[in-house]
Amino acid sequence: KAGVTQTPRYLIKTRGQQVTLSCSPISGHRSVSWYQQTPGQGLQFLFEYFSETQRNKGNFPGRFSGRQFSNSRSEMNVSTLELGDSALYLCASSLGQGGADTQYFGPGTRLTVL
Amino acid sequence: AQSVTQPDIHITVSEGASLELRCNYSYGATPYLFWYVQSPGQGLQLLLKYFSGDTLVQGIKGFEAEFKRSQSSFNLRKPSVHWSDAAEYFCAVGALFSNYQLIWGAGTKLIIKP
């Protein structure tokens, strides 16, 4: 089975722009979770989608949004980028709800905001 | 607030020596417990997990972890480390209080001395 894929792998944007990141889960997995990883804050949970519905949401501003499609692929959008949004964004998929099941992680998208 | 603590930010171990990475959580009931490893520039890989049953859990790459309810701990161990074990290790907890959203420790960076 193919693993979790994330595109693009690297992205450079400037402040004020918006960005969309994509995640394709393992075939058959219905849950997709997104995380932000930075050296200072560690792994921070953004949100989880299960069968196209947002199940959990972390403590991030409304500039961060996501969605999940019927084929379980997920996208994450960040609008009005700030310098502090520079981070590694990780996507993870699982069969059942994340946190109660094993999550499989993609390689991440490295976002740099200039 | 519920939390996961990995008290050691860095640990340096000689190749061939034994390893123990500590993880403590604050939560009244037994949660789901995970250890993940992240190599530089990579996503996270599951080492092992505890849901219920035998409190000594075997994982991949020769790792094991022991759940101790009385100490609210889930420490990771390996009898003999290899240079390839150099990475960052994360403990995570999923429980009903967080709607099974994973709560992550800050991570422990393992450095191997030749």
Side-chain angles (χ1 to χ4, degrees), chain A residues 16-86:
Chain A
Q17 287 188 307
Q18 77 163 22
V19 67
T20 300
L21 312 182
S22 181
C23 172
S24 293
I26 291 172
S27 178
H29 285 193
R30 296 165 66 188
S31 171
V32 173
S33 297
W34 288 90
Y35 296 89
Q36 181 195 66
Q37 187 177 28
T38 59
Q41 298 295 317
L43 272 159
Q44 303 278 308
F45 172 77
L46 282 154
F47 27 68
E48 179 194 4
Y49 287 87
F50 186 86
S51 294
E52 301 180 68
T53 301
Q54 189 178 86
R55 293 289 297 266
N56 276 319
K57 189 176 190 304
N59 192 25
F60 277 80
R63 300 185 297 106
F64 291 82
S65 63
R67 59 179 176 167
Q68 187 180 33
F69 302 95
S70 58
N71 61 358
S72 292
R73 190 177 71 83
S74 178
E75 286 183 348
M76 189 195 112
N77 185 275
V78 188
S79 62
T80 319
L81 283 166
E82 300 177 0
L83 295 179
D85 297 333
S86 294

Side-chain angles (χ1 to χ4, degrees), chain A residues 9 35 37 43 45 55-57 88 90 97-103 105-107, chain B residues 32 34 36 38 41-44 46 49 51 90 94-95 98-102 104:
Chain A
R9 291 291 311 277
Y35 296 89
Q37 187 177 28
L43 272 159
F45 172 77
R55 293 289 297 266
N56 276 319
K57 189 176 190 304
L88 180 66
L90 292 164
Q97 187 175 358
D101 200 352
T102 300
Q103 294 193 351
F105 283 80
Chain B
Y32 298 144
F34 304 83
Y36 282 86
Q38 185 177 33
Q42 303 292 317
L44 283 83
L46 178 73
K49 63 187 177 187
F51 284 4
F90 293 90
S98 64
N99 196 24
Y100 296 105
Q101 164 195 325
L102 280 183
W104 294 83

